[in-house]
Amino acid sequence: MKFTQEQDILQRYKSQINIDQIFSHPESLPFQLRIYERNEVILQEGDTLDGLYFQVDGRTKVTSSVETGKALLLRFCHPLAVFGDIELMQKVVVQSQVEAVTQASFLFINKHTIETELMRDYKFLTELSRHLAYKLQTCTTASRINLLASVEERLASYLLTIRLQHDFGKEIQTPHIHEVASLIGTTPRHLNRVIQKLSDVNMLRKDKKKIVVIDWERLDELSNGLRYE
């Protein structure tokens, strides 16, 4: 991890995310730009949170693991994602691992500043609430589909969701079968069987490492109106 407090660089990113819409007095805050290289861990499950991370560049992935070592892919994130909000409000250790998929940059604010200055800032609290509500909505929807729908329905719902290119559709889009399997709550082996089954009825086909949809209308019928959004 590299970091800088050079004002010209910080100002460029502040302008990019409309910092005045997030904080009432951003000029008084001790921002730091943290830069992580590809595959570098930004937040580690179980660690003590040191502050809030506002993603301003790059792509990251969020995973959650259990004691057996298995990890569940939750989403890929892009600007402006916020990390540490759940831990800050709940006063718990870091709940999910955040890793850089590409080089990723963050505007960082330390925990002490947040607790002593920002918890009375209505703009900041409104922004934090918006991100928390979004995470709750998308996690609840994904959990409901993954628990109650068949794998065929989940795959159809996933493909239709990423086609729409809404925010969460972008966050779960990946060309890798093992990542798609993790996102929709199944195994790569089972997912490949489902892909073959749908290929046999000319609904889609697997082209090298990509899934190509042949019949969106039938896929929509298969999804029963479910979407990961």
Side-chain angles (χ1 to χ4, degrees):
M1 184 262 289
K2 298 182 290 186
F3 64 89
T4 181
Q5 288 180 297
E6 292 184 29
Q7 289 306 307
D8 57 337
I9 299 175
L10 286 170
Q11 189 56 47
R12 174 161 57 88
Y13 282 115
K14 288 177 185 179
S15 298
Q16 176 182 306
I17 65 171
N18 297 316
I19 200 78
D20 290 332
Q21 302 298 314
I22 302 174
F23 304 96
S24 296
H25 304 286
E27 68 283 349
S28 66
L29 298 174
F31 286 103
Q32 182 184 80
L33 185 70
R34 294 190 172 187
I35 305 166
Y36 295 82
E37 298 302 320
R38 183 178 177 227
N39 298 327
E40 192 171 358
V41 173
I42 298 131
L43 289 170
Q44 179 71 56
E45 282 179 284
D47 284 356
T48 300
L49 182 72
D50 57 350
L52 277 181
Y53 294 72
F54 292 82
Q55 185 176 337
V56 293
D57 194 22
R59 193 170 191 243
T60 55
K61 71 176 178 180
V62 183
T63 58
S64 183
S65 65
V66 292
E67 292 182 2
T68 59
K70 291 184 178 180
L72 176 68
L73 176 61
L74 300 177
R75 68 183 74 209
F76 294 95
C77 293
H78 54 273
L80 178 65
V82 177
F83 301 108
D85 47 356
I86 294 172
E87 292 82 356
L88 178 73
M89 300 304 290
Q90 292 296 105
K91 301 185 185 306
V92 293
V93 296
V94 175
Q95 298 295 292
S96 301
Q97 178 169 298
V98 182
E99 181 182 335
V101 177
T102 65
Q103 186 183 81
S105 301
F106 301 81
L107 285 176
F108 172 82
I109 306 177
N110 66 73
K111 189 176 178 181
H112 177 73
T113 299
I114 296 166
E115 293 177 339
T116 58
E117 298 182 34
L118 289 176
M119 296 311 286
R120 297 184 299 275
D121 183 345
Y122 78 94
K123 282 189 177 181
F124 169 72
L125 293 175
T126 298
E127 184 71 10
L128 212 59
S129 297
R130 188 176 68 82
H131 284 277
L132 287 166
Y134 172 74
K135 290 176 182 177
L136 175 61
Q137 177 195 356
T138 52
C139 285
T140 300
T141 300
S143 297
R144 183 176 69 246
I145 293 174
N146 289 350
L147 283 170
L148 301 177
S150 68
V151 177
E152 289 86 349
E153 289 172 320
R154 285 180 242 165
L155 176 59
S157 301
Y158 170 83
L159 293 170
L160 287 156
T161 300
I162 64 173
R163 185 192 191 197
L164 294 172
Q165 285 293 288
H166 293 159
D167 283 345
F168 193 55
K170 294 176 183 176
E171 291 184 3
I172 60 174
Q173 185 167 4
T174 174
H176 304 298
I177 292 297
H178 70 282
E179 291 179 339
V180 175
S182 184
L183 285 164
I184 68 173
T186 188
T187 64
R189 180 177 294 181
H190 192 174
L191 179 57
N192 277 316
R193 285 199 296 265
V194 169
I195 292 170
Q196 185 59 54
K197 178 181 176 181
L198 299 182
S199 296
D200 292 342
V201 294
N202 295 317
M203 200 176 297
L204 53 79
R205 73 172 187 274
K206 194 173 178 181
D207 184 8
K208 295 181 179 178
K209 293 184 178 181
K210 296 189 300 182
I211 299 173
V212 179
V213 176
I214 299 171
D215 193 331
W216 285 106
E217 186 173 339
R218 290 169 64 202
L219 199 71
D220 190 21
E221 291 176 3
L222 177 61
S223 75
N224 285 319
L226 297 173
R227 299 289 184 275
Y228 285 90
E229 57 185 11

